[in-house]
Amino acid sequence: MFVDSHCHLDRLDLSPYGNSLEAAVDAARQCGVERMLCIGVDMQNAQTVVDIANQFEGVHCSVGVHPMDVADDLVDRNQLRALATQPKVVAIGETGLDYFYSKESALLQQESFKLHLALSAELAKPVIVHTRDAREDTIQLIREYGDSSVGGVLHCFTESWEMAKQALDLNYYISFSGIVTFKNADTLREVARKVPLDRLLIETDSPYLAPIPYRGKKNEPKYVVEVASCLAELRGLPIDRIAEITSDNFDNLLFNK
């Protein structure tokens, strides 16, 4: 059984499924992807992802404001807290820092990230972190404002092994997306070989970043199997073992199992 630990079900291309999200979810399940975490990125789609999670067994969600949306959507902590306390909301985010696309809003991003980290600590729900070209600030803010007993995940990881080690020391998990399958991702594959198995997660980040052999197409949760297959090859393990490990890690992070 596979878990897609990070997907945007509200943004999938449903045209191959007669515009039916239920059919897309069923297609994932037919490939062995039994559970999914549907990610919130702003206050406008927060209730949508909650509604999707409530609609499907095996689907949970997070709520938060993506760093690239901060300039347009200042976080109301009380509103975010109210959303985050709903039963199927199991994480805070997607939050974090992105200096590659949005360096001009760095200070605003940092304030938003601090708020998410503080709410994570308050509610004891882990943080879903997006980070790009902001290694030092990301780790520093997690260290200063996060709660290591709650932890979180650096999703769609593309950074250095040094950053991964620092995050691991702060009780964070490292999640790999379809990028790890790309031909030019040798350095990332080296990181994937080093992450402790008990801190490893897999995701699609669908509808983005479809893995090989689907690169260039719209991504969807059923393709997380390709990410698992790549990691199985890298770690010298059967794919079923990677599925078991990453599913257990998902439960440990989000449900304290």
Side-chain angles (χ1 to χ4, degrees), residues 21-211:
L21 179 57
E22 183 176 2
V25 171
D26 285 344
R29 288 176 173 158
Q30 289 170 19
C31 293
V33 185
E34 294 289 340
R35 293 185 292 161
M36 304 158 213
L37 185 64
C38 182
I39 306 297
V41 295
D42 57 41
M43 300 308 289
Q44 280 67 49
N45 89 322
Q47 191 58 52
T48 299
V49 300
V50 171
D51 291 343
I52 288 172
N54 287 332
Q55 181 181 352
F56 296 102
E57 183 179 357
V59 176
H60 288 79
C61 68
S62 70
V63 292
V65 178
H66 191 287
M68 289 191 293
D69 291 313
V70 167
D72 299 321
D73 194 353
L74 294 174
V75 186
D76 182 316
R77 180 166 175 166
N78 291 331
Q79 183 184 5
L80 187 59
R81 182 193 292 108
L83 288 161
T85 54
Q86 297 183 70
K88 295 199 80 174
V89 178
V90 295
I92 306 299
E94 177 173 359
T95 182
L97 303 174
D98 192 314
Y99 296 169
F100 181 82
Y101 286 112
S102 304
K103 184 64 180 288
E104 67 280 357
S105 64
L107 293 178
L108 197 58
Q109 290 182 47
Q110 290 168 21
E111 291 305 310
S112 177
F113 192 21
K114 291 175 189 178
L115 184 152
H116 284 77
L117 289 165
L119 187 61
S120 163
E122 176 189 339
L123 300 180
K125 294 187 178 185
V127 189
I128 311 296
V129 177
H130 169 108
T131 179
R132 189 169 185 188
D133 284 6
R135 296 175 184 177
E136 292 183 6
D137 286 353
T138 298
I139 294 297
Q140 179 182 344
L141 291 179
I142 290 173
R143 185 176 290 120
E144 291 183 8
Y145 296 92
D147 185 339
S148 61
S149 69
V150 178
V153 55
L154 299 189
H155 104 91
C156 194
F157 193 77
T158 57
E159 303 292 344
S160 66
W161 170 237
E162 182 59 34
M163 184 182 191
K165 286 194 297 182
Q166 292 180 74
L168 292 166
D169 289 343
L170 293 168
N171 195 28
Y172 271 63
Y173 290 70
I174 307 296
S175 181
F176 292 95
S177 70
I179 293 174
V180 77
T181 72
F182 293 179
K183 292 180 180 179
N184 63 349
D186 289 338
T187 300
L188 183 61
R189 283 188 282 273
E190 284 303 312
V191 176
R193 289 187 179 98
K194 295 178 180 179
V195 172
L197 289 174
D198 64 354
R199 296 295 186 84
L200 192 65
L201 290 171
I202 55 176
E203 64 172 271
T204 58
D205 201 12
S206 52
Y208 317 108
L209 303 171

